[in-house]
Amino acid sequence: MRNLSLATLFSALAGFVLVVIAGWALDIETEFRYFSAYWGLFFASAGLIDGITQETTRAVASARETGVKGTASPWRFASVAAAIVVAVGTPVAIVAMHSLVPMSPGMATSLLIFGLVSYTFQAVLSGILSGAQLWNQYASLVALDSGVRLVLALLAWAFGWGLTAFLLITVAGAASWMVILGASDTARTHIRVALDVDRRAFVRRVVSAMLASGASAALITGFPTAVSAAFPDNNADISIVVGAMNNAVILTRAPVLVPLQRFQSALVVRFVEHRDRIYQALLAPVGAVLALGAVGFVAAWAIGPWILKLGFKPELFVDGRTLALLTLASAFMGMLMITGVAVLALEQHVWYVAGWVVASIVAFAVLFTSPWAVATAVVVALYVGPLAGAVVHVAGLARARVEVA
């Protein structure tokens, strides 16, 4: 577990540094905006696929705890999912890229589909390693995923490779699973680990988890893409503000959400093992993420503007109050992630999906319909959405306790 903690810390720092590099390497008004929108789209789509990881983790952990062995195969499901990505994702991406990345729509589409197909299998391996508590191998996967992107970003900046290189960097880490399987005998011996359900139940539960993880990813990693869509780039001044706010959202989320995303599998195991004391098991991680958000609020207000002035182009400057509010908002998002994992661990898949869908609908409704300026709309959306979703999840936990009683 110590190695996983170090890997998640490295992942958070690598993501922060990568955004800094992109801010300097790309033109703010066009290339950086397109990069942030593409980054958000890829990781929102990957977040949908993360439902495979979450349910595979739960099924493997439960099989180890209960001894129940079903007939489901996550690898077979991943193969079908990858085929669907190619068949459905390709035409959708072709249309979307003409608006999101008009400078290189063809290349952006090809790289996106490749990255998502590969990430489908990476999601399976992540779930198996987590559910079997092979934390060292999982830590290696996390570190490699982020490390590949960071090294390539440094090279792209040094050699002036431009937007196309950063599109490749976005998806490059998704192939890390092949390296881990090739290098680790332990990982290879567990690729056929038992799950606790049959094929039909596994498919049903993974689809439910994917719906929820897709809604969560749309709200978390896909948010910059939504901001770009809500405030079109037909005005140069607004386009720069959108780029600055997207940059600020990504930066303020990295210290809280990147490590937490990597720890979700460990939280699934924690809540499965303590399902009879779910509220007690929930208090520590929720308290920790809110405390981290409070510390981040103060730090962002105090030193955030200085960091932006020192590390980024002037066009990406955001004031301290906005940075502080965005940092605390990331903790509220983290709280929603944790309550969602708890609901999933109790097998309340409907409530899990409902919480994330409600959170996304509320946040995007604010973003697309409010009369406020970009900064205000973004901040309000990132508070009211997660709060609404967390309320739904808590209601689901209460319902699960009543059913058990």
Side-chain angles (χ1 to χ4, degrees):
M1 188 64 74
R2 176 177 176 273
N3 288 338
L4 179 58
S5 299
L6 293 174
T8 55
L9 176 61
F10 170 74
S11 179
L13 291 174
F16 179 86
V17 174
L18 194 153
V19 172
V20 173
I21 293 171
W24 284 106
L26 303 174
D27 172 76
I28 300 302
E29 186 178 337
T30 55
E31 290 184 325
F32 184 79
R33 174 173 179 152
Y34 300 148
F35 163 71
S36 63
Y38 185 80
W39 179 276
L41 177 62
F42 173 74
F43 283 102
S45 302
L48 171 68
I49 296 170
D50 276 336
I52 300 175
T53 298
Q54 295 170 9
E55 178 55 28
T56 301
T57 299
R58 188 211 61 77
V60 171
S62 179
R64 285 167 54 87
E65 182 182 354
T66 64
V68 176
K69 296 183 179 180
T71 58
S73 169
W75 295 106
R76 187 179 299 116
F77 180 90
S79 299
V80 175
I84 294 173
V85 166
V86 174
V88 178
T90 301
V92 173
I94 289 173
V95 174
M97 290 308 164
H98 285 283
S99 297
L100 294 178
V101 192
M103 297 176 67
S104 306
M107 179 64 70
T109 298
S110 300
L111 289 173
L112 180 71
I113 298 304
F114 163 78
L116 293 178
V117 167
S118 186
Y119 192 80
T120 300
F121 296 99
Q122 183 152 307
V124 171
L125 182 60
S126 296
I128 291 174
L129 296 178
S130 301
Q133 299 188 32
L134 299 174
W135 301 122
N136 288 340
Q137 288 74 19
Y138 183 51
S140 298
L141 180 61
V142 170
L144 182 62
D145 186 300
S146 300
V148 166
R149 291 190 178 92
L150 179 58
V151 170
L152 290 178
L154 289 169
L155 291 173
W157 186 23
F159 291 99
W161 289 339
L163 178 62
T164 300
F166 279 87
L167 299 181
L168 172 62
I169 289 165
T170 301
V171 306
S176 300
W177 65 279
M178 291 184 281
V179 178
I180 299 301
L181 277 183
S184 172
D185 292 336
T186 303
R188 287 196 301 274
T189 59
H190 283 79
I191 60 175
R192 296 185 182 278
V193 68
L195 308 184
D196 70 339
V197 290
D198 61 21
R199 181 184 62 81
R200 180 173 297 180
F202 181 72
V203 170
R204 184 178 67 253
R205 293 182 178 189
V206 169
V207 170
S208 296
M210 289 177 70
L211 288 174
S213 63
S216 68
L219 188 55
I220 298 174
T221 52
F223 196 77
T225 308
V227 175
S228 293
F231 299 93
D233 61 352
N234 50 16
N235 182 294
D237 292 335
I238 292 179
S239 186
I240 291 174
V241 173
V242 168
M245 286 301 297
N246 281 343
N247 182 61
V249 169
I250 292 171
L251 292 177
T252 53
R253 283 179 169 180
V256 177
L257 297 190
V258 172
L260 185 57
Q261 283 179 309
R262 299 303 188 181
F263 265 108
Q264 280 190 98
S265 296
L267 287 173
V268 170
V269 174
R270 171 185 173 87
F271 293 140
V272 167
E273 292 177 346
H274 298 86
R275 66 181 73 192
D276 57 331
R277 303 191 309 276
I278 192 65
Y279 287 139
Q280 293 91 324
L282 197 60
L283 285 177
V286 168
V289 76
L290 291 179
L292 181 59
V295 172
F297 178 90
V298 175
W301 200 324
I303 66 174
W306 175 78
I307 292 175
L308 287 181
K309 288 180 179 179
L310 180 66
F312 294 87
K313 294 178 181 178
E315 297 92 329
L316 293 178
F317 180 79
V318 175
D319 65 88
R321 183 180 66 174
T322 301
L323 289 172
L325 290 171
L326 289 174
T327 303
L328 185 58
S330 71
F332 278 73
M333 191 74 72
M335 177 182 64
L336 177 62
M337 291 171 64
I338 294 169
T339 58
V341 171
V343 173
L344 177 65
L346 267 61
E347 302 183 34
Q348 299 293 313
H349 292 74
V350 173
W351 287 96
Y352 178 55
V353 173
W356 278 108
V357 170
V358 167
S360 297
I361 290 174
V362 170
F364 291 143
V366 171
L367 193 62
F368 281 89
T369 64
S370 73
W372 302 315
V374 178
T376 303
V378 167
V379 169
V380 173
L382 290 176
Y383 276 92
V384 299
L387 282 172
V391 169
V392 174
H393 283 159
V394 171
L397 291 176
R399 176 66 177 272
R401 285 173 60 87
V402 169
E403 290 177 352
V404 171

